[in-house]
Amino acid sequence: MSFMDKVKSGFTEAGSKAKIVVEINKLKLQNNNKQKEIEQHYQSIGRMYYLQAVGRLADDPGADPAGMVENIARLEAEIEENNKEIKTLANEKDCVCGKPAPLDARFCPSCGHTFES
């Protein structure tokens, strides 16, 4: 392989890695936005609960805590899917110890756990 072929190969590999990093960061940003939305639902549910407890909550058809709970569950599922995609893009898997390990590893580098093939 000539020097120029090696350089070209290096640029191609760097470009591929950069695309992966961009995709991972995009998924992390989506997760952050979804987590903020979950926090807003928590606050709304808490506010409704408090107003109901002190007798100041009028029958507001827009006040639907069950719908917010469903939205929270949906958002958490989407975050979990994004986390799985991040692991796939990063070529990692989770160990029982909670630390990431390379996808092709037979043993966890942190705790030594043996992965099944």
Side-chain angles (χ1 to χ4, degrees), residues 6 67 91 95:
K6 288 181 182 180
N91 199 27
C95 180

Side-chain angles (χ1 to χ4, degrees), residues 40-42 44-45 48 62-73:
Q40 289 173 348
H41 286 310
Y42 285 156
S44 295
I45 291 169
M48 282 187 281
D64 180 21
M68 289 183 198
V69 170
E70 290 174 10
N71 281 338
I72 289 171

Side-chain angles (χ1 to χ4, degrees), residues 68-86:
M68 289 183 198
V69 170
E70 290 174 10
N71 281 338
I72 289 171
R74 178 186 51 80
L75 290 166
E76 287 177 339
E78 291 173 5
I79 289 171
E80 184 60 33
E81 285 301 314
N82 283 353
N83 286 336
K84 287 179 185 176
E85 182 68 21
I86 288 169

Side-chain angles (χ1 to χ4, degrees), residues 8 17 26 28 33 42 44 46-47 63 67 72 88 93 99-100 108 110 113-115:
K8 190 184 295 185
K17 288 182 180 182
K26 184 176 100 174
K28 287 181 178 181
N33 291 336
Y42 285 156
S44 295
R47 186 174 19 264
I72 289 171
T88 301
K93 58 185 170 185
K99 303 281 180 157
C108 175
S110 298
H113 172 76
T114 303
F115 295 110

Side-chain angles (χ1 to χ4, degrees), residues 17-117:
K17 288 182 180 182
K19 286 180 185 177
I20 290 171
V21 168
V22 167
E23 186 64 26
I24 287 172
N25 286 335
K26 184 176 100 174
L27 290 168
K28 287 181 178 181
L29 180 62
Q30 287 176 1
N31 282 355
N32 285 339
N33 291 336
K34 290 176 192 300
Q35 192 61 46
K36 287 177 186 175
E37 191 175 342
I38 288 171
E39 293 299 324
Q40 289 173 348
H41 286 310
Y42 285 156
Q43 288 179 352
S44 295
I45 291 169
R47 186 174 19 264
M48 282 187 281
Y49 179 80
Y50 170 76
L51 291 174
Q52 183 181 25
V54 296
R56 294 191 321 207
L57 182 65
D59 289 333
D60 181 6
D64 180 21
M68 289 183 198
V69 170
E70 290 174 10
N71 281 338
I72 289 171
R74 178 186 51 80
L75 290 166
E76 287 177 339
E78 291 173 5
I79 289 171
E80 184 60 33
E81 285 301 314
N82 283 353
N83 286 336
K84 287 179 185 176
E85 182 68 21
I86 288 169
K87 291 286 184 192
T88 301
L89 288 169
N91 199 27
E92 293 179 342
K93 58 185 170 185
D94 286 327
C95 180
V96 295
C97 70
K99 303 281 180 157
L103 196 57
D104 58 350
R106 294 184 58 204
F107 301 97
C108 175
S110 298
C111 71
H113 172 76
T114 303
F115 295 110
E116 294 181 20
S117 299

